[in-house]
Coordinates of all heavy atoms in Angstrom, one line a residue:
K1399 N -6.7 2.1 -12.6 CA -5.5 2.3 -11.7 C -4.3 1.7 -12.4 O -4.4 0.7 -13.1 CB -5.7 1.5 -10.4 CG -6.4 2.3 -9.3 CD -6.3 1.6 -8.0 CE -6.7 2.5 -6.9 NZ -6.5 1.8 -5.6
T1400 N -3.2 2.4 -12.3 CA -2.0 1.9 -12.9 C -1.0 1.6 -11.8 O -1.0 2.2 -10.7 CB -1.3 2.9 -13.9 OG1 -1.0 4.1 -13.1 CG2 -2.3 3.2 -15.0
T1401 N -0.2 0.6 -12.0 CA 0.8 0.2 -11.0 C 2.2 0.2 -11.7 O 2.3 0.0 -12.9 CB 0.6 -1.2 -10.4 OG1 0.6 -2.1 -11.4 CG2 -0.7 -1.2 -9.7
K1402 N 3.2 0.5 -10.9 CA 4.6 0.4 -11.4 C 5.3 -0.6 -10.7 O 5.1 -0.8 -9.5 CB 5.2 1.8 -11.2 CG 4.7 2.9 -12.1 CD 5.5 4.2 -11.9 CE 4.9 5.3 -12.8 NZ 5.7 6.4 -12.7
S1403 N 6.2 -1.3 -11.4 CA 7.0 -2.4 -10.8 C 8.4 -1.8 -10.6 O 8.9 -0.9 -11.3 CB 7.1 -3.6 -11.8 OG 5.9 -4.1 -12.0
F1404 N 9.0 -2.3 -9.5 CA 10.4 -1.9 -9.2 C 11.1 -3.0 -8.4 O 10.4 -3.8 -7.8 CB 10.5 -0.6 -8.5 CG 10.0 -0.6 -7.1 CD1 10.8 -0.7 -6.0 CD2 8.6 -0.5 -6.9 CE1 10.3 -0.7 -4.7 CE2 8.1 -0.5 -5.6 CZ 9.0 -0.6 -4.5
I1405 N 12.4 -3.0 -8.4 CA 13.1 -4.0 -7.6 C 13.4 -3.4 -6.3 O 13.8 -2.3 -6.1 CB 14.4 -4.4 -8.4 CG1 14.1 -5.1 -9.7 CG2 15.3 -5.3 -7.5 CD1 15.2 -5.3 -10.6
L1406 N 13.2 -4.3 -5.2 CA 13.5 -3.8 -3.9 C 14.4 -4.9 -3.3 O 14.1 -6.1 -3.2 CB 12.2 -3.7 -3.1 CG 12.3 -3.4 -1.6 CD1 12.9 -2.0 -1.4 CD2 11.0 -3.6 -0.9
R1407 N 15.6 -4.4 -2.8 CA 16.5 -5.3 -2.1 C 16.3 -5.2 -0.6 O 16.4 -4.1 -0.1 CB 17.9 -5.0 -2.5 CG 18.2 -5.3 -3.9 CD 19.7 -5.0 -4.3 NE 19.9 -5.3 -5.7 CZ 19.7 -4.4 -6.7 NH1 19.3 -3.2 -6.4 NH2 20.0 -4.8 -7.9
V1408 N 16.0 -6.3 0.0 CA 15.8 -6.3 1.5 C 16.6 -7.5 2.1 O 16.7 -8.6 1.5 CB 14.3 -6.6 1.8 CG1 14.0 -6.6 3.3 CG2 13.4 -5.5 1.1
D1409 N 17.2 -7.2 3.2 CA 18.0 -8.3 3.8 C 17.1 -9.5 4.2 O 15.9 -9.3 4.4 CB 18.8 -7.8 5.0 CG 18.0 -7.4 6.2 OD1 17.5 -8.2 7.0 OD2 17.7 -6.1 6.2
A1410 N 17.6 -10.7 4.3 CA 16.8 -11.9 4.6 C 16.0 -11.8 5.9 O 14.9 -12.3 5.9 CB 17.8 -13.1 4.6
E1411 N 16.6 -11.3 6.9 CA 15.9 -11.2 8.2 C 14.7 -10.3 8.1 O 13.6 -10.7 8.6 CB 16.9 -10.7 9.3 CG 16.4 -10.8 10.7 CD 17.5 -10.4 11.7 OE1 18.6 -11.0 11.6 OE2 17.2 -9.5 12.5
T1412 N 14.8 -9.2 7.4 CA 13.7 -8.3 7.3 C 12.6 -8.9 6.4 O 11.4 -8.9 6.7 CB 14.2 -6.9 6.6 OG1 15.1 -6.4 7.5 CG2 13.0 -6.0 6.4
M1413 N 13.0 -9.6 5.3 CA 12.1 -10.3 4.4 C 11.3 -11.4 5.2 O 10.1 -11.5 5.0 CB 12.8 -10.8 3.2 CG 11.9 -11.2 2.1 SD 11.0 -9.8 1.5 CE 9.8 -10.6 0.4
N1414 N 12.0 -12.1 6.0 CA 11.4 -13.1 6.8 C 10.3 -12.5 7.7 O 9.2 -13.1 7.8 CB 12.4 -13.9 7.6 CG 13.2 -14.8 6.8 OD1 12.9 -15.2 5.6 ND2 14.4 -15.2 7.3
A1415 N 10.6 -11.4 8.3 CA 9.6 -10.7 9.2 C 8.4 -10.2 8.4 O 7.3 -10.4 8.9 CB 10.3 -9.6 9.9
I1416 N 8.7 -9.7 7.2 CA 7.6 -9.2 6.3 C 6.7 -10.4 5.9 O 5.5 -10.3 5.9 CB 8.1 -8.4 5.1 CG1 8.8 -7.1 5.6 CG2 7.0 -8.1 4.1 CD1 9.6 -6.4 4.5
E1417 N 7.3 -11.5 5.5 CA 6.5 -12.6 5.1 C 5.7 -13.2 6.2 O 4.5 -13.6 6.0 CB 7.5 -13.7 4.5 CG 8.1 -13.3 3.2 CD 9.2 -14.3 2.7 OE1 9.8 -15.0 3.6 OE2 9.5 -14.3 1.5
A1418 N 6.3 -13.2 7.4 CA 5.5 -13.7 8.6 C 4.3 -12.8 8.9 O 3.2 -13.3 9.2 CB 6.4 -13.9 9.8
W1419 N 4.6 -11.5 8.8 CA 3.5 -10.5 9.1 C 2.4 -10.7 8.1 O 1.2 -10.6 8.4 CB 4.1 -9.1 9.1 CG 3.3 -8.0 9.5 CD1 2.0 -8.1 10.1 CD2 3.6 -6.6 9.5 NE1 1.5 -6.8 10.4 CE2 2.5 -5.9 10.0 CE3 4.7 -5.9 9.0 CZ2 2.5 -4.5 10.1 CZ3 4.7 -4.5 9.1 CH2 3.6 -3.9 9.7
A1420 N 2.8 -10.8 6.8 CA 1.8 -11.0 5.7 C 1.0 -12.2 6.0 O -0.3 -12.2 5.8 CB 2.5 -11.1 4.4
A1421 N 1.6 -13.3 6.4 CA 0.9 -14.6 6.6 C -0.1 -14.4 7.8 O -1.2 -14.9 7.7 CB 1.8 -15.7 6.9
D1422 N 0.3 -13.7 8.8 CA -0.5 -13.4 10.0 C -1.8 -12.6 9.6 O -2.8 -12.8 10.2 CB 0.2 -12.6 11.0 CG 1.3 -13.5 11.7 OD1 1.3 -14.7 11.6 OD2 2.1 -12.8 12.4
E1423 N -1.7 -11.8 8.6 CA -2.8 -10.9 8.2 C -3.5 -11.4 6.9 O -4.3 -10.7 6.3 CB -2.3 -9.5 8.0 CG -1.7 -9.0 9.3 CD -1.8 -7.5 9.5 OE1 -2.3 -6.8 8.6 OE2 -1.3 -7.0 10.6
F1424 N -3.1 -12.6 6.5 CA -3.7 -13.3 5.3 C -3.5 -12.4 4.0 O -4.4 -12.2 3.2 CB -5.2 -13.6 5.5 CG -5.4 -14.5 6.7 CD1 -5.9 -13.9 7.9 CD2 -5.1 -15.8 6.7 CE1 -6.1 -14.7 9.0 CE2 -5.3 -16.6 7.8 CZ -5.8 -16.1 9.0
R1425 N -2.3 -11.8 3.9 CA -2.0 -11.1 2.7 C -0.8 -11.7 2.0 O -0.1 -12.5 2.6 CB -1.6 -9.6 3.0 CG -2.6 -8.7 3.6 CD -2.1 -7.3 3.7 NE -3.1 -6.4 4.2 CZ -3.1 -5.9 5.4 NH1 -2.1 -6.1 6.2 NH2 -4.1 -5.1 5.7
S1426 N -0.7 -11.4 0.7 CA 0.6 -11.8 0.0 C 1.7 -10.9 0.5 O 1.4 -9.8 1.1 CB 0.4 -11.6 -1.5 OG 0.3 -10.2 -1.8
T1427 N 2.9 -11.3 0.3 CA 4.1 -10.5 0.7 C 4.0 -9.1 -0.1 O 4.2 -8.1 0.5 CB 5.4 -11.2 0.4 OG1 5.4 -12.4 1.1 CG2 6.6 -10.4 0.8
N1428 N 3.7 -9.2 -1.3 CA 3.5 -7.9 -2.1 C 2.4 -7.0 -1.5 O 2.6 -5.8 -1.4 CB 3.2 -8.3 -3.6 CG 3.3 -7.0 -4.4 OD1 4.3 -6.4 -4.6 ND2 2.1 -6.6 -5.0
G1429 N 1.3 -7.7 -1.2 CA 0.2 -6.9 -0.6 C 0.6 -6.3 0.7 O 0.2 -5.2 1.0
Q1430 N 1.3 -7.0 1.5 CA 1.8 -6.5 2.8 C 2.7 -5.3 2.6 O 2.6 -4.3 3.3 CB 2.5 -7.6 3.6 CG 2.8 -7.2 5.0 CD 1.5 -7.1 5.9 OE1 0.5 -7.6 5.5 NE2 1.7 -6.4 7.0
L1431 N 3.6 -5.4 1.7 CA 4.5 -4.3 1.4 C 3.8 -3.0 0.9 O 4.0 -1.9 1.3 CB 5.6 -4.7 0.4 CG 6.7 -5.6 0.9 CD1 7.5 -6.2 -0.2 CD2 7.6 -4.9 1.9
Q1432 N 2.8 -3.3 0.1 CA 1.9 -2.2 -0.4 C 1.2 -1.5 0.8 O 1.1 -0.3 0.9 CB 0.9 -2.6 -1.5 CG 1.6 -3.0 -2.8 CD 0.6 -3.5 -3.8 OE1 -0.4 -4.2 -3.4 NE2 0.8 -3.2 -5.1
W1433 N 0.7 -2.3 1.7 CA 0.0 -1.8 2.9 C 0.9 -1.0 3.8 O 0.5 0.1 4.2 CB -0.7 -3.0 3.6 CG -1.4 -2.6 4.8 CD1 -2.7 -2.1 4.9 CD2 -0.9 -2.5 6.2 NE1 -3.0 -1.8 6.2 CE2 -1.9 -2.0 7.0 CE3 0.3 -2.8 6.8 CZ2 -1.8 -1.8 8.4 CZ3 0.5 -2.6 8.1 CH2 -0.6 -2.1 8.9
I1434 N 2.1 -1.6 4.0 CA 3.1 -0.9 4.8 C 3.4 0.5 4.3 O 3.5 1.5 5.0 CB 4.4 -1.7 5.0 CG1 4.1 -3.0 5.9 CG2 5.5 -0.9 5.6 CD1 5.2 -4.0 5.8
I1435 N 3.7 0.5 3.0 CA 4.0 1.8 2.3 C 2.9 2.8 2.4 O 3.0 3.9 2.7 CB 4.5 1.5 0.9 CG1 5.8 0.8 0.8 CG2 4.6 2.9 0.1 CD1 6.2 0.2 -0.5
N1436 N 1.6 2.3 2.1 CA 0.5 3.1 2.1 C 0.2 3.7 3.5 O -0.1 4.9 3.7 CB -0.8 2.4 1.6 CG -1.9 3.3 1.4 OD1 -1.8 4.2 0.6 ND2 -3.0 3.0 2.1
E1437 N 0.4 2.9 4.6 CA 0.2 3.3 5.9 C 1.3 4.4 6.3 O 0.9 5.4 7.0 CB 0.3 2.2 6.9 CG -1.0 1.3 7.0 CD -2.1 2.1 7.5 OE1 -2.1 2.5 8.7 OE2 -3.1 2.4 6.7
A1438 N 2.5 4.2 5.9 CA 3.6 5.2 6.2 C 3.2 6.5 5.5 O 3.4 7.6 6.1 CB 4.9 4.6 5.7
L1439 N 2.8 6.4 4.2 CA 2.4 7.7 3.5 C 1.2 8.4 4.2 O 1.2 9.6 4.3 CB 2.1 7.3 2.1 CG 3.3 7.0 1.2 CD1 2.8 6.4 -0.1 CD2 4.2 8.1 1.0
R1440 N 0.3 7.6 4.6 CA -0.9 8.2 5.2 C -0.5 8.8 6.5 O -0.9 10.0 6.8 CB -2.0 7.1 5.5 CG -3.3 7.6 6.1 CD -4.2 6.5 6.5 NE -3.7 5.6 7.5 CZ -3.7 5.9 8.8 NH1 -4.1 7.0 9.2 NH2 -3.2 5.0 9.7
K1441 N 0.3 8.2 7.4 CA 0.7 8.7 8.7 C 1.5 10.0 8.5 O 1.5 10.9 9.3 CB 1.4 7.7 9.5 CG 0.5 6.6 10.0 CD 1.3 5.6 10.8 CE 0.3 4.5 11.3 NZ 1.1 3.5 12.1
A1442 N 2.3 10.0 7.4 CA 3.1 11.2 7.1 C 2.4 12.3 6.4 O 2.9 13.3 6.0 CB 4.4 10.8 6.3
K1443 N 1.1 12.0 6.1 CA 0.2 13.0 5.3 C 0.8 13.3 4.0 O 0.9 14.4 3.6 CB 0.0 14.2 6.1 CG -0.8 13.9 7.4 CD -1.1 15.1 8.2 CE -1.9 14.6 9.3 NZ -2.3 15.2 10.4
R1444 N 1.3 12.2 3.3 CA 1.9 12.4 2.0 C 1.2 11.7 0.9 O 1.7 11.6 -0.2 CB 3.4 11.9 2.0 CG 4.2 12.8 2.9 CD 5.7 12.6 2.7 NE 6.5 13.5 3.4 CZ 7.1 14.6 2.7 NH1 6.9 14.8 1.5 NH2 7.8 15.4 3.4
L1445 N 0.0 11.2 1.2 CA -0.8 10.6 0.1 C -1.4 11.6 -0.7 O -1.7 12.7 -0.3 CB -2.0 9.8 0.7 CG -1.6 8.4 1.3 CD1 -2.9 7.8 2.0 CD2 -1.1 7.5 0.2
P1446 N -1.5 11.4 -2.0 CA -2.0 12.4 -2.9 C -3.5 12.7 -2.5 O -4.2 11.8 -2.0 CB -2.0 11.7 -4.3 CG -1.2 10.5 -4.2 CD -1.1 10.2 -2.7
K1447 N -3.9 13.9 -2.7 CA -5.3 14.2 -2.4 C -6.2 13.5 -3.4 O -5.9 13.4 -4.6 CB -5.5 15.8 -2.6 CG -4.6 16.6 -1.7 CD -5.2 16.8 -0.4 CE -4.3 17.8 0.4 NZ -4.0 17.4 1.7
K1448 N -7.3 13.0 -2.8 CA -8.3 12.4 -3.7 C -9.1 13.4 -4.4 O -9.5 14.4 -3.8 CB -9.3 11.5 -2.9 CG -8.5 10.3 -2.3 CD -9.5 9.3 -1.6 CE -8.7 8.1 -1.2 NZ -9.6 7.1 -0.6
K1449 N -9.4 13.2 -5.7 CA -10.2 14.2 -6.5 C -11.6 14.0 -6.1 O -12.2 13.0 -6.0 CB -10.0 13.9 -8.0 CG -8.6 14.2 -8.4 CD -8.4 13.9 -9.9 CE -7.0 14.1 -10.4 NZ -6.8 13.8 -11.8
K1450 N -12.3 15.2 -5.9 CA -13.7 15.2 -5.6 C -14.5 15.0 -6.9 O -14.1 15.4 -8.0 CB -14.1 16.5 -5.0 CG -13.5 16.6 -3.6 CD -14.1 17.8 -2.9 CE -13.5 17.9 -1.5 NZ -14.1 18.9 -0.7
G1451 N -15.6 14.3 -6.8 CA -16.4 14.1 -8.0 C -17.2 15.3 -8.4 O -17.0 16.4 -7.8
T1452 N -18.0 15.2 -9.4 CA -18.7 16.3 -10.0 C -20.0 16.6 -9.1 O -20.6 17.6 -9.4 CB -19.2 16.0 -11.4 OG1 -20.0 14.8 -11.4 CG2 -18.0 15.7 -12.3

Side-chain angles (χ1 to χ4, degrees):
K1399 275 193 165 183
T1400 60
T1401 59
K1402 292 185 178 185
S1403 299
F1404 68 98
I1405 295 172
L1406 175 65
R1407 291 181 182 87
V1408 179
D1409 65 85
E1411 192 173 304
T1412 300
M1413 193 63 187
N1414 290 339
I1416 292 168
E1417 289 170 339
W1419 189 7
D1422 290 346
E1423 301 205 2
F1424 304 105
R1425 289 188 181 109
S1426 66
T1427 302
N1428 188 66
Q1430 189 69 19
L1431 287 166
Q1432 289 176 327
W1433 180 83
I1434 291 167
I1435 293 166
N1436 192 56
E1437 281 297 294
L1439 289 169
R1440 184 185 62 78
K1441 287 178 182 179
K1443 297 183 177 171
R1444 294 195 169 258
L1445 280 175
K1447 303 274 189 227
K1448 291 187 178 183
K1449 294 180 182 176
K1450 292 188 178 187
T1452 60

